[in-house]
Amino acid sequence: MLYIVGLGLGDERDITVRGLDAVRSCSKIYMEAYTSLLSLGLDPAALANLEKLYGKEITVADREMVEERVDQVLSEAADTDVAFLVVGDPFGATTHTDLVVRAKKMGVEVKVIHNASVMNAIGVCGLQLYRYGETISIPFFTDEWRPDSFYEKIQNNRQLGLHTLCLLDIRVKEPTWESLARGKKVYEPPRFMTVNTAISQLFEVEEARGGYAYRRETLCIGVARLGSDDQKIVAGPMEKLLDVDFGPPLHCLIIVGETHPLEEEMLEFYMIK
């Protein structure tokens, strides 16, 4: 059996009782550290907290393993119970849908245990979940690569009066272009996009596109460490959020569409005065 277990958003205690029972019953535990991270990060002390609660040794599955060597996990799950731990909910990223498809093709039984994810916990900011349009991802720009395919999606959402949730880039154990060219991987230091960087890049794209999908005064909400005790939520004009210190990762950004009076009442609690 392959158990795909959602861990929630905060720390090791956010796992569900069903999830914890599944983990404790497994002989091998992997923790995915590519699409998201728990607020406690991946330092040795944080992993020790997880292992202490779960009573099991945990193998960290980085991007390289998830994308290139996941068949090893599935082969193990064909013979014994294996848990694959995912921050948030298991289906919050297409990576995990691919894992289920591959497991089923190999004849491996799969059991999914759900948990909270950014897709529903974001309701804490006061915007109604059914008033969101298509979610987008904003990657880090580089000198050679500045993708802006998300622009049309923001534009479409805004034309329909819908809110846009922007998920911000996470780069953990990413090989440098130079090392790939030399055939020997050297990894970049971990990087996590801030709300401030995301807004700066959005301004750059708007200036290049000129489609008025959003303006400097467009109402936005910056969110940091969603689901943690020290989560931070600040609402205000896009340009004013540039100056807010949101603190440690992970961050996300919401571009606000048309609002209901109840949504406006909630937003007042988070508004820059």
Side-chain angles (χ1 to χ4, degrees):
M1 174 82 76
L2 174 66
Y3 289 93
I4 305 181
V5 182
L7 297 182
L9 296 170
D11 58 27
E12 72 277 4
R13 298 167 298 168
D14 279 5
I15 192 170
T16 64
V17 175
R18 285 183 63 220
L20 186 57
D21 287 344
V23 169
R24 287 176 172 169
S25 72
C26 290
S27 55
K28 188 83 177 183
I29 317 294
Y30 292 93
M31 180 173 177
E32 192 260 351
Y34 160 37
T35 59
S36 191
L37 295 176
L38 284 174
S39 61
L40 44 73
L42 274 179
D43 59 76
L47 276 178
N49 288 340
L50 291 169
E51 291 175 335
K52 182 178 179 181
L53 176 63
Y54 303 160
K56 298 281 184 176
E57 184 178 340
I58 298 171
T59 301
V60 175
D62 56 26
R63 176 175 185 166
E64 196 172 278
M65 181 174 187
V66 171
E67 293 190 339
E68 299 173 17
R69 303 198 309 275
V70 76
D71 286 346
Q72 170 191 328
V73 177
L74 299 179
S75 296
E76 292 170 348
D79 300 319
T80 187
D81 287 344
V82 174
F84 192 81
L85 311 182
V86 176
V87 176
D89 185 81
F91 292 121
T94 52
T95 302
H96 311 129
T97 305
D98 177 65
L99 182 64
V100 172
V101 169
R102 292 169 74 167
K104 288 183 177 293
K105 285 182 177 179
M106 289 177 63
V108 175
E109 192 173 351
V110 179
K111 187 164 189 175
V112 176
I113 300 175
H114 295 280
N115 209 319
S117 79
V118 63
M119 304 299 285
N120 59 355
I122 200 64
V124 71
C125 73
L127 300 181
Q128 297 166 7
L129 293 178
Y130 61 82
R131 293 292 301 159
Y132 281 82
E134 187 171 356
T135 298
I136 68 162
S137 296
I138 302 179
F140 277 112
F141 286 177
T142 68
D143 292 339
E144 302 83 16
W145 191 61
R146 308 179 91 75
D148 60 2
S149 58
F150 52 78
Y151 184 81
E152 285 83 4
K153 296 174 183 178
I154 298 174
Q155 201 165 37
N156 291 340
N157 287 345
R158 299 273 295 163
Q159 286 170 355
L160 293 170
L162 302 176
H163 314 307
T164 305
L165 173 60
C166 309
L167 304 178
L168 309 187
D169 204 0
I170 297 170
R171 297 185 66 82
V172 178
K173 204 175 179 183
E174 295 277 350
T176 64
W177 288 108
E178 294 81 3
S179 70
L180 288 173
R182 290 196 296 268
K184 186 175 181 180
K185 289 182 180 177
V186 176
Y187 298 101
E188 301 175 359
R191 287 197 296 158
F192 308 94
M193 184 179 288
T194 63
V195 168
N196 320 77
T197 298
I199 291 173
S200 295
Q201 292 189 181
L202 285 168
F203 283 160
E204 179 183 324
V205 172
E206 178 58 60
E207 188 173 340
R209 291 293 199 99
Y212 300 105
Y214 44 84
R215 294 173 166 80
R216 302 186 76 85
E217 61 271 18
T218 296
L219 180 61
C220 289
I221 307 168
V223 182
R225 300 171 302 286
L226 180 63
S228 302
D229 290 338
D230 66 340
Q231 71 180 10
K232 184 167 187 171
I233 304 171
V234 182
M238 190 179 275
E239 64 179 353
K240 288 196 174 181
L241 293 187
L242 270 177
D243 300 323
V244 176
D245 180 3
F246 285 91
L250 297 171
H251 294 187
C252 61
L253 175 71
I254 305 153
I255 303 172
V256 180
E258 295 174 7
T259 51
H260 182 276
L262 185 58
E263 290 178 307
E264 292 166 8
E265 280 191 80
M266 275 289 286
L267 285 178
E268 277 300 316
F269 294 115
Y270 304 120
M271 198 71 70
I272 294 176
K273 303 303 179 186

